[in-house]
Amino acid sequence: MHLTTPYNAYQRGDYLTAAKTFRKLAEQGDADAQTNLGFMYEKGQGVLQDYAEAVKWYRLAAEQGDAVAQYNLGFMYEMGQGVLQDYAEAVKWYRLAADQGNASAQRNLGSCTSMAEACPKITSWRTCGTTLAQPMVPKTLVNGEMNERG
């Protein structure tokens, strides 16, 4: 099955078809599909919203080195969605994504003062009052480009 199919379905707003197709690919170990399926569970698109299920799929992709999944998993830990809130785990996953050049993860590492206590070695924290973290939309769902990751 070609990845274009679920992306096209998503772009048309056919979230049910997109979710079913991403699931088939995700179950075969495709990290892009796992990340996108996690996003669909996080947002409740084509599936019932289920943060724990989103975390499951993000983790599978993150462990394969997918930077967007690493960022999104960090976000879930920071917010306590689908997992117990754990700033140390959030920093861990943000760091992995940031090391791959993920700008959102780099920004969050540099600006979320709430995580400073979890990682005292980081000295570049800036006071931001509230977290700047936002879930990252996989670019594949935004523009249909399969190889471009944000």
Side-chain angles (χ1 to χ4, degrees):
M1 183 173 299
H2 195 269
L3 281 177
T4 303
T5 303
Y7 298 127
N8 290 343
Y10 187 93
Q11 291 298 316
R12 290 190 314 269
D14 184 357
Y15 299 136
L16 185 59
T17 297
K20 285 180 182 179
T21 310
F22 278 133
R23 178 177 296 283
K24 288 179 187 176
L25 295 166
E27 288 172 346
Q28 295 171 14
D30 184 283
D32 283 336
Q34 291 167 340
T35 300
N36 288 307
L37 185 59
F39 183 79
M40 294 186 81
Y41 271 105
E42 182 180 350
K43 298 300 174 190
Q45 296 175 321
V47 294
L48 290 176
Q49 186 177 44
D50 184 336
Y51 292 140
E53 192 70 8
V55 166
K56 169 189 160 182
W57 291 109
Y58 285 152
R59 184 179 312 282
L60 288 169
E63 289 173 349
Q64 292 185 64
D66 185 288
V68 173
Q70 291 167 342
Y71 172 85
N72 285 350
L73 187 55
F75 173 82
M76 301 300 272
Y77 274 105
E78 183 182 355
M79 298 294 113
Q81 294 178 329
V83 292
L84 290 176
Q85 190 173 46
D86 185 333
Y87 293 133
E89 275 297 298
V91 167
K92 170 189 161 182
W93 291 108
Y94 283 153
R95 166 86 50 221
L96 288 169
D99 287 348
Q100 293 189 65
N102 184 292
S104 296
Q106 292 167 348
R107 181 185 66 241
N108 285 355
L109 282 173
S111 63
C112 294
T113 58
S114 61
M115 287 188 284
E117 64 190 31
C119 193
K121 294 179 184 176
I122 297 174
T123 58
S124 64
W125 300 95
R126 294 187 306 248
T127 303
C128 62
T130 61
T131 182
L132 295 177
Q134 296 293 322
M136 176 167 256
V137 178
K139 283 189 177 183
T140 51
L141 291 180
V142 175
N143 64 19
E145 295 296 325
M146 290 181 286
N147 295 323
E148 230 181 286
R149 303 306 285 175

